[in-house]
């Protein structure tokens, strides 16, 4: 079995605006991986999260999504094709990715590809996510490009969402990639 680095930060960012003994502590869920440390092939699975009605309403209110499929119980039951209210796809995307998001202090979101809403998610469904580090390649003078897939499942393993996240990640030693970068 392949050995991968830990999924929790193992070093501190060492901020100067707090007591030194606090600044030396590792930061929870704030990995300090560099491009060289990013393990292609690594998979991580999240904890599960039930998509509660209150959370769904709050998300819809924040983004002004008042579509009857997500906000109108009577419409959803009587006229909708699913017979009940959906959780907004944008919320499934946000919550699903948030479940396995790492807070790597050296990585920056570059964008998303291949976002697909495969199956509906309903109020009360429980989701979990699997992230797979797919590939990496040198890109810029100081940062490489990482691609990871995100699969969001509901219940006992029904795939409901797929996308690929691209991130730029700082090199530990940029000189090692001189001549390999695209830009």
């Amino acid at each position: 079995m392949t050995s991968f680095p830990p999924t929790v930060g193992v070093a501190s960012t060492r901020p100067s605006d707090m007591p030194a003994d606090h600044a030396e502590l590792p930061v929870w869920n704030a990995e300090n991986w560099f491009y060289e440390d990013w393990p292609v092939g690594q998979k991580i699975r999240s904890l599960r999260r039930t998509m509660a009605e209150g959370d769904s309403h709050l998300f819809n209110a924040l983004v002004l999504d008042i579509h009857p499929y997500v906000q109108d119980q009577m419409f959803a039951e009587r006229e909708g094709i699913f017979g009940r209210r959906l959780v907004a796809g944008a919320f499934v995307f946000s919550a699903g990715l948030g479940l396995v998001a790492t807070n790597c202090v050296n990585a920056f979101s570059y964008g998303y590809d291949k976002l697909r809403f495969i199956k509906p998610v309903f109020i009360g469904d429980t989701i979990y996510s699997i992230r797979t580090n797919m590939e990496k390649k040198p890109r810029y003078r100081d940062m490489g490009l990482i691609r990871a897939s995100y699969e969001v499942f509901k219940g006992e393993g029904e795939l409901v969402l797929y996308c690929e996240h691209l991130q730029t990640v700082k090199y530990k030693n940029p000189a090692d990639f001189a001549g390999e970068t695209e830009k």
Side-chain angles (χ1 to χ4, degrees):
M1 175 153 219
T2 305
S3 177
F4 294 113
T7 57
V8 200
V10 293
S12 174
T13 57
R14 294 176 181 77
S16 61
D17 57 351
M18 65 174 55
D21 59 333
H22 294 180
E24 289 300 316
L25 293 172
V27 178
W28 169 254
N29 197 22
E31 295 81 6
N32 56 351
W33 296 340
F34 288 89
Y35 176 84
E36 295 87 333
D37 303 324
W38 211 272
V40 172
Q42 180 189 43
K43 290 179 178 268
I44 60 172
R45 177 188 50 84
S46 72
L47 296 170
R48 294 179 294 199
R49 180 190 201 285
T50 300
M51 305 300 277
E53 183 168 14
D55 296 334
S56 181
H57 277 300
L58 180 59
F59 181 87
N60 294 342
L62 287 171
V63 300
L64 303 175
D65 183 352
I66 57 168
H67 194 283
Y69 272 104
V70 299
Q71 285 295 119
D72 185 336
Q73 183 72 28
M74 293 171 69
F75 169 85
E77 287 177 354
R78 296 175 184 166
E79 300 178 50
I81 63 172
F82 302 109
R84 53 190 171 150
R85 277 184 299 130
L86 298 169
V87 174
F91 184 34
V92 175
F93 171 74
S94 297
L97 273 60
L99 285 170
V100 288
T102 60
N103 296 307
C104 182
V105 296
N106 298 313
F108 310 92
S109 189
Y110 187 77
Y112 294 90
D113 286 342
K114 302 180 183 176
L115 173 59
R116 299 292 181 267
F117 301 103
I118 298 166
K119 297 274 180 134
V121 174
F122 303 103
I123 303 293
D125 281 348
T126 299
I127 65 169
Y128 66 92
S129 301
I130 294 176
R131 187 188 80 205
T132 303
N133 294 340
M134 298 172 64
E135 65 177 341
K136 64 184 192 178
K137 63 181 178 178
R139 176 74 179 198
Y140 301 103
R141 183 174 54 91
D142 295 321
M143 296 183 289
L145 192 63
I146 303 292
R147 179 181 296 269
S149 68
Y150 288 77
E151 297 170 294
V152 180
F153 299 88
K154 72 176 181 178
E156 297 180 3
E158 183 177 13
L159 183 65
V160 298
L161 183 143
Y162 177 87
C163 74
E164 295 176 6
H165 186 195
L166 293 108
Q167 293 179 286
T168 51
V169 183
K170 290 180 3 182
Y171 302 126
K172 190 181 303 182
N173 187 5
D176 291 346
F177 299 95
E180 294 182 49
T181 61
E182 298 174 19
K183 300 180 180 187

